[in-house]
Amino acid sequence: MSSQTIAFHQHPAKQAAAPAAPQKWPVDAVAELFDLPFNDLLFRAQQVHRAHFDAAEIELATLLSIKTGGCPEDCGYCPQAARYDTGVTAQKMLPLDTVLNAAREAKAHGATRFCMGAAWREPKDRDLEKVEEMVREVKALGLETCATLGMLGEGQADRLKQAGLDYYNHNLDTAPELYGDIISTRDYENRLDTLSSVRDAGIKVCCGGIVGMGESRRQRAGLIAQLANLEPYPESVPVNNLVQVEGTPLYGTAALDPLEFVRTVAVARITMPTARVRMSAGRREMGEAVQALCFLAGANSIFYGDKLLTTGNPEVDEDRALLDKLGMRTRANGHDARCEIAE
């Protein structure tokens, strides 16, 4: 699959009836954004951001690993792959009560979206039944629901929709031309097929990627072009900075310049104006100044809590202190609220 391939996989009948639309964002055009002077890029991104969002509002999302470790895939960045010795041991799926307690705690701390992740290549039907129950019960708490469970088989997206799932996360990870160097156990088309199933089921798409995996700036542009040219582009775009875990193939990769991460956020904002652009993995290593620049560049969502799936995240109190320092407002219980540090 070339860097120019941008449409969701379609069934043959649809392909015959509707030829692929021209690219809205060719890779060259995205690369030109990356090459803008830093101040010009951030100014443009802030203008786009303010045209569609309250520039001081931030969405808080919490991610819980409902099934950790033992994944058969070989993603070069992932400590949950069974083939790598990373200190992560395979565990059974969490019981419903544990998930609900975590969801209640997330809501009490201001999160409005609760994401459930499982280390599967794809869920078995018997496992999906348990996830459906989790989705229904978390939804009943008044939270938006999101799940990331790997590839989805026939009819599984429809089942999740019927259970009340709001978002499905399935990242493209990187540009197509680099993808085979990072993952060999599934291909790019597999990811696009799952995204197509999610769209067809009426579930919103959460889809982004990981930077800092040794890619070039043009390959970062290729990832953003893929995302921005999806029809429609994702409602939620997580931008992850590689968290290096000893034992994974990407451990020891040269760290990405923090300002290049900020540029990636800005380009995502410009090319996907109405998406929630989320700072995801890697925030813990950024520091306050870089995070503030990311908010200026158009990031308006963060994963919130002391842990992502298996890697660390800034503490809740640290996040709320930073947001309060910056004068950011959060979407709490369906309305905006000034961040206040809990006493």
Side-chain angles (χ1 to χ4, degrees):
M1 193 172 204
S2 75
S3 62
Q4 302 297 308
T5 305
I6 45 77
F8 282 133
H9 176 73
Q10 297 177 321
H11 298 295
K14 292 183 180 179
Q15 289 177 330
Q23 295 177 9
K24 294 175 292 187
W25 283 102
V27 176
D28 285 345
V30 179
E32 288 174 3
L33 291 177
F34 268 96
D35 290 340
L36 285 172
F38 189 75
N39 286 353
D40 292 345
L41 176 60
L42 262 62
F43 179 67
R44 181 168 172 181
Q46 182 66 195
Q47 287 179 306
V48 172
H49 187 58
R50 287 175 180 270
H52 298 279
F53 292 99
D54 177 347
E57 182 197 271
I58 192 78
E59 175 194 71
L60 304 181
T62 294
L63 175 62
L64 176 69
S65 179
I66 61 172
K67 197 284 174 189
T68 301
C71 182
E73 302 273 36
D74 69 350
C75 305
Y77 51 80
C78 186
Q80 299 200 68
R83 66 191 68 202
Y84 306 139
D85 183 11
T86 62
V88 175
T89 56
Q91 300 174 18
K92 295 181 179 180
M93 194 186 308
L94 294 178
L96 177 62
D97 286 349
T98 301
V99 174
L100 291 180
N101 286 337
R104 292 186 189 100
E105 183 178 359
K107 183 177 180 181
H109 283 103
T112 56
R113 188 182 304 177
F114 189 74
C115 307
M116 293 162 277
W120 292 319
R121 174 178 169 81
E122 55 192 341
K124 296 180 174 64
D125 284 341
R126 66 174 181 271
D127 294 324
L128 199 66
E129 290 177 7
K130 297 177 182 178
V131 175
E132 290 172 279
E133 185 177 12
M134 292 175 185
V135 169
R136 284 191 291 267
E137 295 296 327
V138 171
K139 182 95 169 175
L141 298 176
L143 289 162
E144 289 182 326
T145 54
C146 179
T148 178
L149 315 171
M151 296 184 292
L152 294 178
E154 184 175 357
Q156 289 186 329
D158 293 320
R159 288 174 55 182
L160 290 169
K161 173 64 176 179
Q162 291 169 9
L165 189 69
D166 296 300
Y167 289 83
Y168 193 81
N169 168 258
H170 200 59
N171 291 333
L172 293 182
D173 285 349
T174 191
E177 63 269 25
L178 183 63
Y179 186 84
D181 295 335
I182 307 297
I183 303 163
S184 69
T185 48
R186 71 171 90 172
D187 60 31
Y188 224 71
E189 195 68 20
N190 294 143
R191 293 187 180 270
L192 295 174
D193 286 344
T194 289
L195 293 173
S196 182
S197 296
V198 169
R199 277 285 181 223
D200 289 347
I203 300 171
K204 294 177 182 177
V205 168
C206 176
C207 183
I210 306 170
V211 296
M213 297 195 294
E215 76 283 349
S216 65
R217 176 179 281 186
R218 185 169 181 84
Q219 287 169 330
R220 281 188 287 280
L223 168 64
I224 297 297
Q226 288 283 321
L227 296 167
N229 286 307
L230 294 173
E231 285 288 351
Y233 58 75
E235 287 87 353
S236 182
V237 180
V239 183
N240 298 274
N241 198 19
L242 176 66
V243 177
Q244 299 192 25
V245 178
E246 189 170 2
T248 60
L250 288 176
Y251 182 74
T253 302
L256 184 71
D257 187 306
L259 296 185
E260 193 67 18
F261 185 87
V262 178
R263 283 183 180 272
T264 306
V265 169
V267 173
R269 168 53 63 217
I270 292 167
T271 56
M272 293 170 277
T274 62
R276 286 275 175 183
V277 177
R278 177 183 301 132
M279 284 193 288
S280 299
R283 267 200 317 120
R284 189 177 191 176
E285 293 77 23
M286 289 180 190
E288 290 187 347
V290 173
Q291 290 185 68
L293 282 173
C294 288
F295 294 137
L296 184 64
N300 60 349
S301 178
I302 59 173
F303 269 133
Y304 182 67
D306 61 1
K307 197 173 187 180
L308 298 183
L309 291 174
T310 59
T311 56
N313 204 42
E315 297 285 347
V316 166
D317 287 349
E318 291 177 12
D319 276 338
R320 296 193 74 86
L322 173 60
L323 295 176
D324 188 66
K325 187 185 299 185
L326 297 175
M328 306 293 286
R329 294 185 296 274
T330 63
R331 296 175 66 237
N333 299 321
H335 64 276
D336 291 347
R338 172 81 180 219
C339 279
E340 296 178 355
I341 306 173
E343 296 181 0

